[in-house]
Amino acid sequence: MILVKCPVCRARISSAAHSCPGCGHPRPDAGWPKTGGLIWKLFFVIIMLVAIINILPNQEKSSLQRTYVDLDSVHVMKSVDGKLVTVNPGKQKVEQALVVNSAWDGSVWQVERYLDKVLKDPDSFEAIEWGKIVSSSGGYSVRLRYRAKNSLGAYVVEQYRYFLDHEGNVIRVLNE
């Protein structure tokens, strides 16, 4: 550390000081170079651009299209707007609703979406047991046993059978 003279009051100050402790005059050559602020601003702009790109929905992700290929029978299945479209080479395409039990936890996402809308406290929802989906000519049904908070804030265990149409909309609920 070298001692230099202040150009205003002529006091001896450290070369590492950003300003004179006696008169407060700033030293233009001390501290970070002038481009340091520009580098920080550029860094901030790049971080903001990356954040905006990640927040905005990607068209491919938001369309919820998944493609599966079964190599044994060469069937191509696509999920488009809540329907499962199966295309067999040389045959007509077949459409089915995507009302299926999740392979991960047995849940049915259409019923979970319905419960998000109708429960008093959707965050308190905890599935205890999902039944298998039963298909009929009118649609589908699934049994669910769950616990959630009621209007008084107490946890209660409920068991209902949910009936869904072919598009996956919950059309009726029965208490079991």
Side-chain angles (χ1 to χ4, degrees):
M1 192 167 20
I2 301 170
L3 293 177
V4 294
K5 287 187 178 184
C6 173
V8 175
C9 69
R10 303 301 235 180
R12 295 177 63 141
I13 59 172
S14 168
S15 61
H18 295 284
S19 63
C20 176
C23 68
H25 181 68
R27 289 194 51 228
D29 57 338
W32 287 93
K34 296 280 185 201
T35 59
L38 179 65
I39 291 173
W40 280 109
K41 289 175 187 173
L42 184 62
F43 179 74
F44 179 76
V45 168
I46 290 172
I47 294 296
M48 292 304 293
L49 287 174
V50 169
I52 289 171
I53 289 170
N54 286 332
I55 290 173
L56 292 176
N58 187 343
Q59 182 63 29
E60 192 172 294
K61 289 180 187 174
S62 66
S63 66
L64 295 176
Q65 291 187 353
R66 297 182 201 126
T67 303
Y68 304 93
V69 178
D70 180 4
L71 296 177
D72 294 332
S73 56
V74 193
H75 294 275
V76 179
M77 298 184 293
K78 286 187 177 183
S79 165
V80 180
D81 296 330
K83 296 209 179 230
L84 182 66
V85 179
T86 306
V87 180
N88 300 333
K91 298 180 182 177
Q92 289 184 318
K93 68 179 184 178
V94 180
E95 291 188 6
Q96 302 169 347
L98 278 176
V99 181
V100 293
N101 289 97
S102 166
W104 181 52
D105 61 357
S107 64
V108 178
W109 69 269
Q110 292 93 337
V111 174
E112 286 185 335
R113 183 182 61 196
Y114 172 79
L115 289 172
D116 259 354
K117 294 177 186 174
V118 299
L119 286 177
K120 299 286 183 187
D121 185 2
D123 294 332
S124 69
F125 169 78
E126 179 185 338
I128 297 172
E129 178 185 6
W130 285 94
K132 296 285 183 196
I133 296 217
V134 178
S135 180
S136 66
S137 62
Y140 304 91
S141 70
V142 63
R143 184 185 51 80
L144 170 62
R145 186 169 184 213
Y146 68 91
R147 63 183 230 138
K149 287 185 180 178
N150 64 10
S151 297
L152 300 174
Y155 277 96
V156 293
V157 176
E158 301 282 352
Q159 182 166 316
Y160 290 99
R161 179 161 296 277
Y162 296 89
F163 294 90
L164 299 95
D165 61 13
H166 288 290
E167 283 136 24
N169 301 314
V170 176
I171 54 174
R172 191 173 71 194
V173 180
L174 288 179
N175 193 351
E176 290 189 343

